[in-house]
Amino acid sequence: MPAKFHTAIVCTIISLTIGACVARAQQPLAAPTPDQRDARMKWWREARFGMFVHWGLYSGLAGTWDGKPVGTKGGMEWIQQRVKADTDTYAKKAIPLFKPTPDFARQWARLAREAGCRYVVFTSKHHEGFALHDSKVGDYNAGSVLHRDLVKEIVEALHAEGLKVGFYHSVIDWHHDQYAYELSKQLPHPLKGQPYPNGQRDHAKYLDYLHAQVSELMSNYGPIDVLWWDYSSQDFQGDAAWRASDLMKLVRTKQPGIIMNNRLFRIPEAGFTGMGTNAISSQLDPKYGDFITPEQHIPATGMPGVDWETCMTLNTTWGYSDHDHAWKSDETLIRNLIDIASKGGNYLLNIGPKGDGSVPAESVKSMQAIGAWMKINGESIYATTASPFAKLDWGRCTQKKLDGGSTRLYLHVFDWPKDGKLVVPGLASKPVKAVLLADGKALATSVENGGVVVSVPAEAPDKIATVIALDIEGLPKITK
Ligand code: FHN
């Protein structure tokens, strides 16, 4: 065949291939079927409990600026915005204080496993803009500054403990010189209200950077289980703000099994009714994300019909602060976990490690206390579904279907009955057996006044929450 024909054919094949790739790239990803989505969400719904980690340059500053406490409550991961520092001034002060020890990540992973967490979501980049991975895009990252890939270190440590891995990634960026903060009145920025320091900005250039770094994170660290976006406003969200649909498509193409939250958007169809952290609704079109993210609170009646996860701090700040001592009690934390599971949600509980990566002693104590309770009672949380009761005066309930068609009700008793009789009001189902979950001790049951009564010891075995496993025939029948 004459060479010129051969070349023409090869060129035709190449151009057809490129055309097909471009066409495929422009096509939206096929929407998953409900079964496909359920399969992807299964491990997350069963996990119920995850550890959040906020760690970045702000951690070394520890809530202090120019030798003075910036505050005793509220997010010290926002310190750059609270002191209104430009990125160069901020970096000069913060970078020398950010000195991760060699084994910091293993400490986090061990603590998460000890606590009974099944997944860990950590900040690959927070609003300050400093990326924890060895990025080839830009120079404000752990690779360029510390010559380490901290994301790699953390992912390997989490996998070594059998934990699922999540990246929190901030679309807000207080470092990048093309991030056009004037496009939003509602999103925070340290220089808000001031003209751009170096003349007009091209936000599209920031978006190219954002997408390139997300592509690195989705390509270079193996299977990633969660992408926790943060955050959008009503006046700056979605495709206009972040090229969100392209970003989600990039992620799902590289990580088909990944689970993402809804925070690239801030519209009613994505589960938002306003700007407050509790301005949320149980309306989520899956094209905007897989779960809704109530923050620092537990929805009173859960969020029926959608997947949801409450994220919460142990004190009042996400990033470490030397000055925040408002630690929640073990009772509050354990009962929060139970309350959330009884409403069918997940609990993402935050630690804020220090600049060297070490975990504050108070946080270790809290997570280990939860772990001690989970070691005995974890089956009443993992892979359970929401309570069949609207309300129980003495505590909460979760449930699990058993082989053979019966149901196990896990009765989490906060207020122990003084008369030795735990009344489960309105439960019309026939009780089969009841035991104390901690030691399997059998408890007598009776049917009285349209409910089930469980005879219990005089003293509560666990003052925070004693769990009774009550097996009933079939599915729960509740009469009131
Ligand atoms: O501004 C952030 C905040 O620092 C923290 O990361 C929380 C965690 O959910 N998200 C944003 C506030 O909603």
Side-chain angles (χ1 to χ4, degrees):
M1 176 194 300
K4 66 178 178 180
F5 286 133
H6 181 271
T7 307
I9 287 169
V10 168
C11 289
T12 305
I13 291 168
I14 289 168
S15 60
L16 285 173
T17 306
I18 291 168
C21 290
V22 168
R24 192 167 56 245
Q26 284 159 358
Q27 281 160 9
L29 283 181
T33 64
D35 286 351
Q36 286 170 332
R37 190 167 172 281
D38 286 344
R40 182 160 52 82
M41 295 300 294
K42 185 171 184 292
W43 73 263
W44 187 88
R45 292 169 177 162
E46 291 178 353
R48 284 281 173 260
F49 185 30
M51 184 165 90
F52 214 175
V53 187
H54 277 67
W55 190 56
L57 297 183
Y58 45 81
S59 308
L61 291 168
T64 300
W65 188 261
D66 286 343
K68 290 193 286 300
V70 170
T72 57
K73 62 182 296 189
M76 281 304 151
E77 70 288 348
W78 276 47
I79 189 168
Q80 183 184 348
Q81 189 270 352
R82 288 175 70 151
V83 300
K84 306 271 182 276
D86 66 75
T87 191
D88 293 337
T89 305
Y90 175 76
K92 278 195 189 75
K93 287 181 183 284
I95 287 175
L97 301 172
F98 188 63
K99 296 185 273 192
T101 57
D103 69 339
F104 78 91
R106 288 196 293 277
Q107 291 174 39
W108 297 4
R110 274 197 295 271
L111 181 61
R113 185 179 45 72
E114 270 181 70
C117 299
R118 290 285 168 85
Y119 60 106
V120 174
V121 178
F122 67 94
T123 48
S124 52
K125 182 191 81 164
H126 203 265
H127 308 335
E128 66 181 9
F130 186 77
L132 296 191
H133 71 292
D134 178 12
S135 175
K136 300 310 171 206
V137 182
D139 58 5
Y140 201 52
N141 62 75
S144 306
V145 172
L146 301 171
H147 311 296
R148 287 172 70 173
D149 190 326
L150 298 173
V151 166
K152 184 171 186 289
E153 294 179 39
I154 299 165
V155 170
E156 288 175 352
L158 297 179
H159 283 157
E161 296 290 344
L163 295 159
K164 295 281 192 180
V165 173
F167 294 162
Y168 162 113
H169 201 74
S170 173
V171 287
I172 294 170
D173 192 301
W174 295 338
H175 168 77
H176 200 278
D177 63 7
Q178 296 304 310
Y179 178 86
Y181 56 82
E182 284 186 345
L183 293 176
S184 171
K185 290 183 173 37
Q186 293 175 318
L187 290 181
H189 192 283
L191 305 183
K192 192 164 195 173
Q194 297 177 38
Y196 295 134
N198 305 307
Q200 201 42 34
R201 293 188 168 190
D202 179 355
H203 194 68
K205 290 197 173 111
Y206 166 65
L207 295 186
D208 293 341
Y209 169 84
L210 169 67
H211 285 230
Q213 284 202 326
V214 170
S215 181
E216 290 177 324
L217 289 166
M218 294 296 105
S219 307
N220 303 340
Y221 302 95
I224 302 303
D225 304 291
V226 178
L227 214 171
W228 214 98
W229 300 112
D230 205 23
Y231 69 89
S232 299
S233 58
Q234 289 172 296
D235 73 349
F236 202 57
Q237 60 91 41
D239 291 332
W242 321 118
R243 296 205 292 262
S245 304
D246 290 346
L247 202 49
M248 290 183 79
K249 193 167 132 216
L250 178 162
V251 169
R252 291 209 189 282
T253 302
K254 289 180 175 293
Q255 298 280 348
I258 204 163
I259 292 169
M260 290 188 269
N261 74 4
N262 61 338
R263 292 193 175 193
L264 285 179
F265 304 89
R266 199 126 197 170
I267 52 177
E269 299 80 1
F272 291 101
T273 56
M275 280 301 290
T277 51
N278 54 2
I280 53 176
S281 79
S282 300
Q283 182 196 357
L284 177 59
D285 179 329
K287 75 179 179 189
Y288 297 119
D290 295 309
F291 64 94
I292 289 181
T293 55
E295 181 171 314
Q296 299 286 38
H297 77 283
I298 302 167
T301 55
M303 303 197 81
V306 289
D307 290 294
W308 61 277
E309 171 195 76
T310 280
C311 57
M312 199 176 277
T313 51
L314 285 170
N315 46 13
T316 71
T317 174
W318 301 94
Y320 177 69
S321 170
D322 276 336
H323 317 295
D324 184 329
H325 307 294
W327 301 100
K328 294 177 178 71
S329 69
D330 298 347
E331 176 179 289
T332 297
L333 296 168
I334 292 167
R335 289 185 178 181
N336 280 349
L337 173 60
I338 295 165
D339 184 28
I340 289 166
S342 78
K343 292 165 178 168
N346 283 20
Y347 196 23
L348 187 64
L349 189 55
N350 181 74
I351 63 168
K354 300 181 181 178
D356 64 357
S358 63
V359 183
E362 298 86 347
S363 303
V364 172
K365 173 188 162 298
S366 298
M367 297 304 277
Q368 288 178 338
I370 299 169
W373 187 88
M374 286 293 276
K375 201 175 177 124
I376 296 169
N377 304 289
E379 82 166 75
S380 72
I381 301 291
Y382 300 128
T384 60
T385 53
S387 171
F389 303 98
K391 186 177 181 311
L392 292 166
D393 293 339
W394 39 258
R396 300 293 186 273
C397 176
T398 55
Q399 62 174 311
K400 213 174 261 186
K401 288 192 178 61
L402 299 177
D403 295 342
S406 60
T407 302
R408 178 159 296 163
L409 299 178
Y410 294 99
L411 309 178
H412 298 85
V413 188
F414 299 167
D415 302 325
W416 198 252
K418 293 181 179 38
D419 62 358
K421 292 186 172 307
L422 184 77
V423 178
V424 187
L427 179 59
S429 305
K430 184 172 180 299
V432 175
K433 74 168 181 164
V435 299
L436 283 174
L437 189 61
D439 59 12
K441 179 176 184 297
L443 302 173
T445 60
S446 60
V447 176
E448 295 174 29
N449 307 323
V452 171
V453 176
V454 183
S455 299
V456 296
E459 290 299 318
D462 184 319
K463 295 285 181 281
I464 292 179
T466 297
V467 183
I468 292 166
L470 172 63
D471 292 358
I472 57 172
E473 278 185 2
L475 299 177
K477 285 194 282 297
I478 317 295
T479 55
K480 57 181 170 186

